[in-house]
């Protein structure tokens, strides 16, 4: 299932970013693991899309906002 792959990749990205321990947030990890369990059983495309959108919000709240690269002159 593509939705499971997308959610698992998001969890991997989250764990990579938290790897230093300084940014650890157990709640964000638990949300992703719980979502994987839900997505495994869910068949509604709309529900799956909503779960994935929620996971993206969780990651946006965790990841630092990247500064745009300065333009070369």
């Amino acid at each position: 299932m593509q939705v499971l792959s997308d959610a698992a990749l998001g969890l991997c990205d989250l764990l990579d970013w938290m790897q230093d321990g300084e940014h650890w947030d157990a709640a964000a990890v638990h949300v992703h693991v719980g979502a994987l369990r839900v997505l495994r059983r869910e068949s509604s495309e709309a529900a799956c899309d909503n779960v994935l959108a929620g996971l993206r919000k969780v990651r946006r709240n965790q990841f630092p906002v990247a500064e745009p690269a300065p333009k070369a002159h």
Side-chain angles (χ1 to χ4, degrees):
M1 259 177 115
Q2 184 62 43
V3 293
L4 279 174
S5 296
D6 292 346
L9 180 60
L11 176 58
C12 290
D13 289 343
L14 186 68
L15 291 171
D16 282 347
W17 186 75
M18 293 181 179
Q19 191 172 1
D20 65 3
E22 186 176 323
H23 300 101
W24 181 254
D25 184 346
V29 174
H30 287 288
V31 166
H32 277 72
V33 171
L36 286 168
R37 290 182 180 133
V38 168
L39 291 170
R40 187 178 62 176
R41 294 184 304 260
E42 185 58 57
S43 60
S44 163
E45 186 175 336
C48 290
D49 289 344
N50 287 334
V51 170
L52 291 176
L55 293 177
R56 284 190 293 274
K57 287 180 185 178
V58 169
R59 288 192 305 276
R60 267 197 309 268
N61 287 333
Q62 294 297 318
F63 295 147
V65 177
E67 293 289 327
K71 292 183 180 179
H73 293 279

